[in-house]
Amino acid sequence: MKILWLDLNSSYAHSSLALPALHAQIATDNSIEWEIVSATINENVGMVTNSIYHHQPDIIGATNWLFNHEQLLHILSRAKALLPHCVIVLGGPEFLGDNEDFLRKNPFVSSVFRGEGEEVFPQWLPYWQQPGKWNAITGLCYLDDNQQYHDNGIARVMDFARLVSPEKSRFFNWSKPFVQLETTRGCFNTCAFCVSGGEKPVRTLPIETIRERLVEIRRHGIKNVRVLDRTFNYNNKRAKELLNLFLEFSPDIRFHLEIHPALLSEELKLELAGLPKGLLHLEAGIQSLREPVLERSRRIGRLSDALDGLKYLCSLDNMETHADLIAGLPLYHLSEIFEDVHTLAGYGAGEIQLESLKLLPGTEMRRRAEELGIQYAPLPPYEVLQTKEISVDELQTARYLSRLLDGFYNAPTWQNITRTLMLENECFLQDFLNHLIQIGVIDHPLSLERRGLILYEFCKQHYPEYQTLVSIAWIEAGMSLKKLPAEKVKTKRQLPPETWTTVYGEYKETLRLCFLPVGQEGETGYWFGFESEIQKAEPVFKAQTLY
């Protein structure tokens, strides 16, 4: 039996755990020959199909995700035409809902698994050619020879700790910039928009098992681990144990965690505050700063606790905390989204991620869409198009606002000046968004330099008192001193003044100096020192003169 796994990802920076997780459970079965074809969604469909064809597999397996759905089906339909006797079996988040319509529309797919596959996929393999016996396989959905739909429920691995770890598989990809690690499976929360809202119970790995896996991960030189736990701190005692474990791998590994700010105990706050800088990168699930929105979304945790927790996390200078909002949630208005963005900027969130709600298969919110007054796209990525509270045009504005945040607030170079402009000018965000739309760049990729030019020109026209701050950000990013944001900078034969106040770095006579004057007299301003040609590097020294 030859199994070919089609590993189709959105980019080469990402790698699915599905194949190594499945293969690890049956790696010792010598009767199975495994092959893999890896590709991204941007590659030529014909070339990927050709690679599959030359392997002549008996079974083709793949994971169907939100963002590979369309390309995956194009490839598999071609593969089935070339290999009519092969069996195509799929799994993944796309199959957490009702799968009958999918199977009828895509007859080249033999069956799909709903849920967790590590135990049930090996149970299915002995009967891959005997559909009459598939009714005993939990989680399997298929059409029989009479085109009758069979739905065998959902598969759950109840003894999560007994699974062979994906890292034991020869298909585990160690070449990526990060690896993913589950320390728990399932979620305590009940969020109506999330596929994990129904994943009960929460199952955990012993700390010693996690330690052994991290030792192996470190042995391979991996520097970043994304912990896939839905809520890292659902249990504060276990969260503390994990933090102590992660400390054992500092500074070799940095850990990315999803944390619920409403559930932070005082003890855990102290633990987080005492960690070395850079050990953690936090994603704080907040979704909305509105109590009615969170209640309608069935998200556990009091809003007041969530805001207090988020404010605390953002105040920690030993880690970066990102916060996310979701446009399109029931009861969430556009004006409230703008206000919440301002609030998160005031907290000092390391990034503000504004996403559009997607009604994913298997979620409560998708099942109740009509009742909740939500209209959504029937095809992936299932984005919300309109709700009772937010119109089509307003959702488009929210998407544009997301682009603005990604390009300016979430870019370290422009974050401080963008935050300052937002917090000191109530209308800035809307004004700047309107400007980006008007000049036709809001939906286009922009270089860091182009963004700086746009921001400087906008401030010069509408917020002139902030020009200097944009110029400082421009200089400190090491950008050209011959372009507009550096129009006031003096570079020729600059000698240090008698006195200045050092902001950072250490002055040496070998440094090349430039001076950015502030005010009419031209004597007050900022000095920057460069170790090489001024136009080619970031400054290593900064000082200020005040008269």
Side-chain angles (χ1 to χ4, degrees), residues 279-498:
L279 177 66
L280 297 186
H281 172 109
L282 300 181
E283 301 282 347
I286 196 76
Q287 283 78 51
S288 170
L289 310 189
R290 311 288 157 165
E291 193 82 63
V293 176
L294 297 178
E295 288 177 355
R296 181 62 60 88
S297 301
R298 301 191 65 233
R299 183 165 176 78
I300 295 173
R302 291 194 309 173
L303 177 61
S304 58
D305 292 339
L307 295 180
D308 288 344
L310 182 59
K311 193 181 299 185
Y312 177 80
L313 292 173
C314 292
S315 73
L316 297 176
D317 60 6
N318 60 335
M319 63 190 68
E320 186 171 296
T321 298
H322 295 182
D324 64 317
L325 300 172
I326 303 180
L329 287 172
L331 306 183
Y332 208 7
H333 296 268
L334 180 63
S335 59
E336 295 172 331
I337 293 172
F338 272 90
E339 291 170 5
D340 290 356
V341 167
H342 274 97
T343 299
L344 293 177
Y347 288 176
E351 282 191 11
I352 302 172
Q353 297 158 346
L354 175 59
E355 302 293 336
S356 294
L357 177 63
K358 299 169 180 62
L359 293 198
L360 303 175
T363 61
E364 177 188 333
M365 199 164 281
R366 179 162 169 149
R367 292 192 296 269
R368 297 177 57 204
E370 186 175 353
E371 171 195 343
L372 295 170
I374 301 175
Q375 295 168 287
Y376 68 97
L379 299 176
Y382 313 115
E383 282 188 306
V384 167
L385 306 174
Q386 184 171 248
T387 72
K388 293 177 181 177
E389 294 77 28
I390 192 165
S391 69
V392 174
D393 290 340
E394 287 174 329
L395 270 172
Q396 185 62 49
T397 299
R399 294 187 192 98
Y400 285 158
L401 176 58
S402 176
R403 295 278 300 174
L404 185 158
L405 292 170
D406 283 343
F408 292 89
Y409 186 93
N410 296 342
T413 297
W414 310 122
Q415 184 175 94
N416 287 337
I417 177 59
T418 302
R419 180 189 287 127
T420 299
L421 282 159
M422 288 170 59
L423 298 181
E424 295 182 4
N425 303 274
E426 186 177 345
C427 297
F428 167 77
L429 203 55
Q430 187 68 68
D431 289 345
F432 191 43
L433 181 59
N434 290 339
H435 176 71
L436 295 175
I437 295 171
Q438 185 178 2
I439 64 175
V441 300
I442 187 62
D443 223 9
H444 295 280
L446 300 171
S447 68
L448 198 63
E449 181 181 273
R450 178 74 174 126
R451 281 173 267 165
L453 288 166
I454 291 171
L455 183 60
Y456 183 80
E457 290 169 349
F458 178 77
C459 286
K460 187 175 183 178
Q461 184 175 357
H462 299 284
Y463 295 87
E465 64 271 32
Y466 294 91
Q467 277 181 261
T468 298
L469 292 180
V470 181
S471 294
I472 291 172
W474 177 275
I475 296 167
E476 292 186 321
M479 295 188 185
S480 173
L481 301 185
K482 296 180 179 180
K483 296 196 175 182
L484 188 62
E487 62 181 332
K488 297 181 180 179
V489 174
K490 299 178 180 180
T491 59
K492 293 183 178 180
R493 295 184 294 276
Q494 294 300 307
L495 299 175
E498 293 182 6

Side-chain angles (χ1 to χ4, degrees), residues 4 13 28 53 85 126 174 195 197 209 212 227 245 251 285 291 307 312-313 317 322 422 426 472 493 524 537:
L4 182 140
T28 58
Y53 172 74
H85 300 297
W174 295 103
V195 294
T209 298
E212 291 171 2
V227 180
L245 173 62
E291 193 82 63
L307 295 180
Y312 177 80
L313 292 173
D317 60 6
H322 295 182
M422 288 170 59
E426 186 177 345
I472 291 172
R493 295 184 294 276
T524 300

Side-chain angles (χ1 to χ4, degrees), residues 205-248:
L205 291 180
I207 295 296
E208 185 54 40
T209 298
I210 302 168
R211 177 181 285 108
E212 291 171 2
R213 292 176 66 176
L214 287 173
V215 167
E216 181 70 4
I217 288 169
R218 181 170 61 183
R219 188 178 71 81
H220 280 84
I222 301 298
K223 301 298 183 184
N224 289 281
V225 171
R226 295 190 177 180
V227 180
L228 297 180
D229 303 13
R230 308 304 189 271
T231 303
F232 170 75
N233 61 320
Y234 81 100
N235 179 313
N236 277 275
K237 179 177 180 294
R238 178 174 169 84
K240 182 179 177 181
E241 292 174 348
L242 286 170
L243 291 179
N244 288 332
L245 173 62
F246 296 162
L247 268 173
E248 298 177 19

